Each structure stands twice: as structure tokens, then as C-alpha cells.
Amino acid sequence: MTENTTDPVEGLKENALSSYGANRLDAIETLATFGKDAIPALVEIANQSSNEEPQQLAREKIREINNGEIDRD
């Protein structure tokens, strides 16, 4: 019997990268709730998104996390 040890941040990042429109934005919002642990994934999403809206949202969430506006604790 194997245990599923998938990292939730990695799973959400993959979900965001494979989604479009509102689903990608929702994944970014959810990912940001993981705080500083989510920053590398948010950077990757911002860099790989071809549309401006997910890029801007990911960057906004990174700023909020860095400014302490989003705190996982």
C-alpha cells in the first residue's frame, strides 16, 4: 500500500499551469494561502502564463505575501 505524498503546493501549481481563465485565477488564489511556501510556484506561474491577468494576479499575491498581508499561520 503506497501513500500519496504529493506536495499540495506543487499540485496546485500544476493545476494552475494546466488551467485557463477563471480556473487558473482560482488556483492562484488558493495557492497564495500557503504563504511563503507558495512564492516559487507563483513566480513560475507568472513566468509561464501567456495572459496578463494571471501574471498580474500571481505577482500581486507574491507582493501580498512578502508584505505580510497573507500569512499562513
Side-chain angles (χ1 to χ4, degrees):
M1 205 170 183
T2 61
E3 201 174 307
N4 186 356
T5 57
T6 303
D7 177 18
V9 171
E10 185 66 25
L12 284 166
K13 178 189 80 173
E14 292 303 321
N15 184 8
L17 290 172
S18 65
S19 299
Y20 297 94
N23 290 335
R24 180 171 284 191
L25 300 178
D26 287 343
I28 292 169
E29 291 279 356
T30 303
L31 189 55
T33 65
F34 284 86
K36 290 189 185 285
D37 293 340
I39 290 176
L42 290 167
V43 169
E44 189 171 340
I45 292 166
N47 290 339
Q48 291 189 22
S49 294
S50 58
N51 292 331
E52 192 171 323
E53 191 172 13
Q55 288 174 352
Q56 288 180 342
L57 181 60
R59 290 181 181 123
E60 175 186 331
K61 294 302 175 184
I62 292 166
R63 282 191 300 276
E64 288 176 6
I65 292 166
N66 283 331
N67 291 333
E69 295 170 28
I70 298 176
D71 187 12
R72 186 174 179 189
D73 295 332

